[in-house]
Amino acid sequence: MKKTPLALLDSYASAFRSLINSMVQDRGETSIKEILHLDAEQDWVFLCAATDIINDASTAIAHVQRFGLSGGTKYDDIGEKYLRLYGLLSAIHNQQQSVLKIYQIMKVPNLKKTKYRFDILESRILRRKLAAHGMEFHNRHTKKEEAYVPLRFEMDDWKISYANYTAQS
């Protein structure tokens, strides 16, 4: 059975966590920093947190993929849809930030290129417009601040519409 990209990422994060855990078990007096060739002792904590966030976010994203913005209960509740939309966009962002942190700590080449590729993803742009900076979205093309809002009457399980109020003024 072919795994989805989300399931692959989840399994890679789990495998990475198992690998680094196995490397540091029974280390005796040797520091984790030495074993993993880290720049700082606290990098270990960030590696563990990043893999946990990737796995937790995968669970949240998979749930929305399965049930849509309405959730498993299928009540037509606009508040639930907003929470799930904001949660989905935040989960995607947190997962990407965790991948970038692992790349940084493990000195994966082309970190800037990967960050740029994440930055131009529609999910990140939507997060900035709808969940993080709705009232202060900085449009890189026009160099102006814009205001965005999801349209509640056009929000269903698999589709979301939004308005740029500043484009109307």
Side-chain angles (χ1 to χ4, degrees):
M1 183 172 141
K2 185 178 176 186
K3 284 190 173 186
T4 66
L6 182 64
L8 280 172
L9 175 61
D10 191 51
S11 63
Y12 289 155
S14 295
F16 180 72
R17 178 72 179 262
S18 294
L19 174 70
I20 60 175
N21 281 341
S22 68
M23 290 178 69
V24 300
Q25 288 176 344
D26 303 320
R27 68 182 189 278
E29 298 295 316
T30 310
S31 74
I32 293 173
K33 178 183 170 190
E34 275 183 75
I35 292 170
L36 296 177
H37 306 285
L38 303 173
D39 288 338
E41 286 290 336
Q42 72 267 16
D43 286 348
W44 165 249
V45 174
F46 284 101
L47 287 175
C48 293
T51 56
D52 287 347
I53 289 169
I54 290 169
N55 293 138
D56 294 346
S58 291
T59 301
I61 295 165
H63 195 272
V64 174
Q65 286 178 332
R66 182 173 176 202
F67 295 110
L69 290 180
S70 295
T73 59
K74 296 297 180 190
Y75 290 110
D76 190 20
D77 184 274
I78 195 68
E80 173 80 7
K81 289 178 182 179
Y82 276 115
L83 286 172
R84 292 175 67 76
L85 172 64
Y86 297 154
L88 172 65
L89 294 172
S90 292
I92 293 168
H93 181 264
N94 290 342
Q95 194 174 64
Q96 292 165 353
Q97 290 303 108
S98 296
V99 168
L100 290 173
K101 189 65 172 179
I102 291 170
Y103 275 31
Q104 175 195 1
I105 291 170
M106 300 310 296
K107 296 179 181 58
V108 174
N110 300 318
L111 178 63
K112 286 183 180 181
K113 182 178 180 181
T114 303
K115 183 176 178 346
Y116 173 77
R117 290 176 68 189
F118 282 171
D119 283 344
I120 62 172
L121 290 171
E122 186 68 20
S123 62
R124 286 201 48 123
I125 295 166
L126 279 175
R127 178 192 162 270
R128 287 192 298 268
K129 286 180 178 177
L130 303 180
H133 303 286
M135 290 303 303
E136 55 191 32
F137 178 79
H138 179 74
N139 186 319
R140 293 177 184 172
H141 302 293
T142 65
K143 307 289 187 224
K144 293 182 180 177
E145 242 180 42
E146 298 174 348
Y148 287 87
V149 64
L151 300 175
R152 68 174 58 198
F153 299 111
E154 295 184 29
M155 188 184 307
D156 66 21
D157 283 337
W158 312 111
K159 183 184 109 189
I160 178 108
S161 297
Y162 58 91
N164 175 351
Y165 281 105
T166 49
Q168 299 169 6
S169 55

